[in-house]
């Protein structure tokens, strides 16, 4: 079971199959519902089963609300049809209203079920009332079965996966800083490559943010989550720091590219080495895991390297002063990255 739990998609598929089977066999026992509509039980399971218990509960409730609204519209349409209103006009009116109601975002997943449920009720014709009760009750039963199975059978918890993704983001930031350091040291700034690195950081941040959000969601309404509150808090801190560090890294790349494009006279060979060293030491600091014993030494080394670069800048001649804004931007970005990392020392 532990191996299955480590494969989120496989676990979800197995639990969905189990819940759908239970709903199918138990649906005939539901009061106020006809046996011929038992297949709506597994359908309720399929609607409900999601990677987290909290999302299963939310989506299931939204779907039932949408169904109830759609059934109410359908029954209203049947009442109009029995008053000899043209069937085409009734259908058009019901679909129009259903789509308009579906525009309310707070209905969530329920928006997609309003028009569908209304049409099903209209199709049921003279059996609309019995069908509506069976439809709603049996679907509701499937939703309950899905939520219970998702809660009881290895409720998913994705905090560890979120932590692993955060580690991947940190590795990406460190790699970009290392590449930038080498490019500065050897005066080989490749615009396309560095802009590609900026785009990569943005994509990785977006993916990791989603994973961390799913990890937080998986802890809610989850008995397994109570033992991992500290891990959730740690992930939130790491995400905030790495988001900031990634942004500042992209800002640093832009500043250095402007320095190179402007053929900045202050960017001499010696200063290139000083700047490259400051970037490299900052990357080593970012690379330090949370709680690392080496972190204080790495923080000291990064701060010293940046201060050396700043001192070298102040020794430049007055002729270089028109370009000082670029250097100030580089210093500021590096200092902020160091300050963000300081919180983890």
């Amino acid at each position: 079971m532990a191996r299955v739990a480590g494969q989120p998609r496989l676990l979800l598929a197995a639990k969905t199959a189990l819940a759908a089977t239970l709903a199918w066999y138990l649906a005939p026992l539901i009061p106020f519902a006809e046996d011929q509509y038992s297949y709506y039980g597994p359908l309720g399971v399929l609607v409900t089963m999601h990677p987290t218990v909290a999302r299963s509960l939310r989506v299931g409730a939204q779907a039932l609300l949408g169904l109830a609204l759609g059934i109410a519209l359908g029954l209203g349409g049947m009442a109009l049809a029995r008053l000899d209103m043209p069937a085409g006009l009734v259908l058009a009116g019901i679909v129009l209203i259903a789509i308009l109601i579906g525009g309310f975002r707070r209905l969530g997943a329920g928006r997609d079920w309003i028009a569908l449920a209304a049409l099903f009720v209209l199709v049921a014709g003279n059996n609309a009332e019995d069908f509506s009760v069976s439809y709603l009750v049996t679907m509701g039963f499937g939703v309950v079965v899905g939520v219970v199975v998702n809660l009881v059978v290895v409720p998913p918890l994705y905090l560890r996966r979120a932590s692993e993704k955060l580690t991947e983001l940190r590795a990406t930031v460190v790699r970009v800083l290392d590449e930038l350091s080498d490019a500065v040291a050897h005066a080989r700034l490749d615009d396309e490559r560095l802009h590609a690195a900026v785009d990569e950081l943005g994509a990785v941040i977006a993916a990791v943010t989603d994973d961390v959000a799913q990890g937080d969601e998986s802890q809610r309404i989850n008995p397994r989550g109570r033992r991992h509150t500290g891990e959730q808090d740690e992930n939130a801190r790491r995400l905030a720091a790495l988001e900031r560090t990634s942004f500042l890294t992209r800002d640093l790349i832009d500043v250095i590219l402007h320095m190179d494009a402007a053929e900045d006279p202050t960017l001499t060979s010696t200063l290139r080495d000083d700047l490259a060293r400051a970037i490299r030491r900052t990357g080593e600091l970012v690379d330090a895991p949370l709680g690392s014993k080496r972190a204080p030494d790495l923080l000291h080394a990064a701060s010293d390297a940046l201060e050396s670069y700043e001192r070298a800048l102040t020794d430049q001649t007055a002729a270089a002063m028109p370009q000082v804004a670029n250097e100030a931007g580089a210093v500021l970005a590096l200092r902020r990255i160091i300050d963000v990392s300081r919180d983890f020392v």
Side-chain angles (χ1 to χ4, degrees):
M1 182 62 72
R3 181 174 299 178
V4 173
Q7 303 293 327
R9 196 66 186 179
L10 177 58
L11 176 62
L12 179 63
K15 292 167 65 173
T16 302
L18 172 63
T21 303
L22 289 174
W24 172 261
Y25 281 109
L26 296 177
L29 304 178
I30 304 174
F32 312 113
E34 298 181 19
D35 294 354
Q36 60 179 318
Y37 300 118
S38 294
Y39 53 85
Y40 283 120
L43 180 59
V45 169
L46 294 177
V47 170
T48 305
M49 293 299 285
H50 284 272
T52 66
V53 178
R55 193 181 307 176
S56 290
L57 184 60
R58 183 178 68 252
V59 171
Q62 290 171 345
L64 289 179
L65 177 58
L67 283 175
L69 291 172
I71 288 173
L73 280 176
L75 292 175
M78 287 302 303
L80 293 175
R82 288 166 182 165
L83 295 176
D84 295 328
M85 183 172 289
L89 185 59
V90 171
L91 176 63
I94 292 301
V95 171
L96 175 65
I97 296 173
I99 298 300
L100 289 175
I101 296 176
F104 290 98
R105 292 189 176 183
R106 290 190 176 183
L107 291 173
R111 296 184 297 173
D112 299 329
W113 289 91
I114 299 173
L116 186 62
L119 287 177
F120 279 2
V121 172
L122 291 176
V123 170
N126 294 329
N127 193 36
E129 287 78 7
D130 292 338
F131 168 79
S132 298
V133 173
S134 297
Y135 187 17
L136 185 59
V137 171
T138 309
M139 280 283 289
F141 176 73
V143 167
V144 171
V145 171
V147 171
V148 170
V149 170
N150 209 8
L151 178 64
V152 174
V153 182
V154 194
L157 192 63
Y158 300 116
L159 293 175
R160 179 174 297 178
R161 186 174 70 175
S163 178
E164 292 171 352
K165 294 297 183 180
L166 285 166
T167 300
E168 292 179 12
L169 173 58
R170 185 185 68 196
T172 301
V173 174
V174 171
R175 176 173 56 77
V176 170
L177 286 172
D178 286 344
E179 291 179 357
L180 180 62
S181 173
D182 291 339
V184 169
H186 298 94
R188 291 199 298 262
L189 294 175
D190 186 331
D191 286 25
E192 291 187 4
R193 184 169 182 176
L194 290 176
H195 282 306
V198 170
D199 293 339
E200 180 187 9
L201 277 175
V204 173
I205 290 170
V208 171
T209 300
D210 289 342
D211 285 319
V212 172
Q214 186 178 63
D216 291 344
E217 184 182 69
S218 71
Q219 191 181 31
R220 297 197 293 270
I221 320 177
N222 190 333
R224 296 174 61 204
R226 299 173 184 173
R227 302 190 301 271
H228 298 271
T229 302
E231 189 174 349
Q232 181 188 21
D233 293 340
E234 179 181 306
N235 284 348
R237 289 179 58 209
R238 292 181 65 195
L239 177 61
L242 287 170
E243 280 183 327
R244 184 64 176 158
T245 300
S246 299
F247 171 80
L248 292 170
T249 298
R250 290 182 289 177
D251 190 42
L252 177 63
I253 290 174
D254 287 338
V255 170
I256 291 177
L257 285 176
H258 280 117
M259 292 166 64
D260 186 67
E263 297 182 353
D264 192 337
T266 65
L267 203 58
T268 62
S269 176
T270 301
L271 274 179
R272 281 184 179 275
D273 290 341
D274 289 338
L275 177 57
R277 187 179 301 107
I279 296 173
R280 189 177 300 111
R281 294 291 177 264
T282 301
E284 292 171 355
L285 174 61
V286 173
D287 195 32
L290 185 66
S292 171
K293 294 181 179 179
R294 296 180 59 241
D297 293 335
L298 294 173
L299 175 61
H300 183 71
S303 298
D304 283 350
L306 181 57
E307 289 173 2
S308 296
Y309 177 59
E310 286 184 280
R311 284 195 299 270
L313 283 177
T314 60
D315 294 337
Q316 295 304 304
T317 63
M321 292 308 291
Q323 300 291 340
V324 75
N326 285 325
E327 285 77 7
V331 170
L332 181 60
L334 283 169
R335 185 170 300 285
R336 286 178 175 175
I337 293 175
I338 293 172
D339 288 342
V340 170
S341 300
R342 193 189 304 273
D343 293 337
F344 290 87
V345 175

